[in-house]
Amino acid sequence: MTRRANVAKVQIARKDLGLDDVAYRLMLERLTGHTSSADCTDAQLGLVLDEMKAKGWTPKVVTGGRIGRRARPVADHPSAKKARALWLSLWHLGEVRDPSEPALEAFARRQLGVEQLQWADQAQCYKLIEALKAMAERAGWSQDTSGLPRGTDLVKVLKVGLLRLQAKRLGMRLAIDRQPGAIFQADHSALDQAIRSLGDQIRAAATADAG
């Protein structure tokens, strides 16, 4: 099989697994030292495909010998998106080992007893979100936003809480916290980038401790 075909298989697997850009590139870098499949050798692409198969992806040969797979639809209703955001946040905190969509689906299946998150009704999704919030609370990331002034950006409050807990776990102090209120003036993209960066450091530290 040509190298181009292997690159295409990686992209198909990435889409089927529902890996976001951050999770995908972190996996590539961990396995190959590259952040793009186009830069990988055939052997490295094989490692990536093996990892994706371990995460639940299975290729299927279809008419004409092409490799394909009918992707399981990713749950796209608002509650599922909120559950996915919590799942990824817990990954950046080091509480979840696998950020992939199949891992979230497996967690949801244990919690709700439904085969696919897409099939869950709103009551079931509420139960899933509450289970994820409970995980966050046990980890020290408060989900309580009651009592805040009307008009407060609650999502930003939660992101700041996550960022501060990450910094605490790494034994560091956020430079921006030295300026009262400054951290709340940061936009969402800056907070997201900081959360991803500290998440990388938390996982690296965990790997070093395990080694």
Side-chain angles (χ1 to χ4, degrees), residues 67-108:
I67 301 296
R69 181 180 184 272
R70 177 174 295 178
R72 172 176 289 185
V74 174
D76 57 1
H77 46 75
S79 296
K81 291 178 180 178
K82 184 172 182 179
R84 189 174 297 112
L86 278 165
W87 185 256
L88 290 174
S89 294
L90 289 166
W91 179 58
H92 288 309
L93 192 54
E95 295 297 315
V96 164
R97 292 184 178 181
D98 186 348
S100 71
E101 190 69 19
L104 173 58
E105 287 277 359
F107 179 83

Side-chain angles (χ1 to χ4, degrees), residues 142-192:
S142 175
Q143 300 294 297
D144 184 8
T145 57
S146 61
L148 294 174
R150 186 173 182 179
T152 299
D153 187 336
L154 300 182
V155 174
K156 181 176 284 190
V157 169
L158 291 171
K159 287 182 179 180
V160 169
L162 172 60
L163 191 58
R164 284 175 170 156
L165 181 56
Q166 287 178 303
K168 181 179 179 181
R169 289 193 171 189
L170 290 167
M172 59 187 287
R173 183 182 178 189
L174 298 173
I176 199 170
D177 256 341
R178 296 168 189 166
Q179 306 171 33
I183 195 169
F184 286 97
Q185 296 171 14
D187 60 29
H188 282 278
S189 61
L191 291 172
D192 291 341

Side-chain angles (χ1 to χ4, degrees), residues 6 10 41-51:
N6 279 330
V10 167
T41 65
D42 277 335
Q44 289 170 335
L45 290 170
L47 290 174
V48 174
L49 289 169
D50 286 344
E51 175 86 356

Side-chain angles (χ1 to χ4, degrees), residues 6-82:
N6 279 330
V7 170
K9 283 179 65 177
V10 167
Q11 294 307 314
I12 290 170
R14 172 191 178 182
K15 183 177 180 181
D16 286 355
L17 289 173
L19 295 179
D20 65 20
D21 190 63
V22 174
Y24 168 68
R25 296 193 185 281
L26 284 173
M27 182 187 68
L28 276 184
E29 188 170 16
R30 172 170 57 83
L31 294 172
T32 71
H34 301 295
T35 56
S36 171
S37 60
D39 297 328
C40 297
T41 65
D42 277 335
Q44 289 170 335
L45 290 170
L47 290 174
V48 174
L49 289 169
D50 286 344
E51 175 86 356
M52 288 175 157
K53 289 173 185 176
K55 290 181 180 296
W57 181 71
T58 53
K60 178 182 178 182
V61 178
V62 296
T63 304
R66 293 173 297 168
I67 301 296
R69 181 180 184 272
R70 177 174 295 178
R72 172 176 289 185
V74 174
D76 57 1
H77 46 75
S79 296
K81 291 178 180 178
K82 184 172 182 179

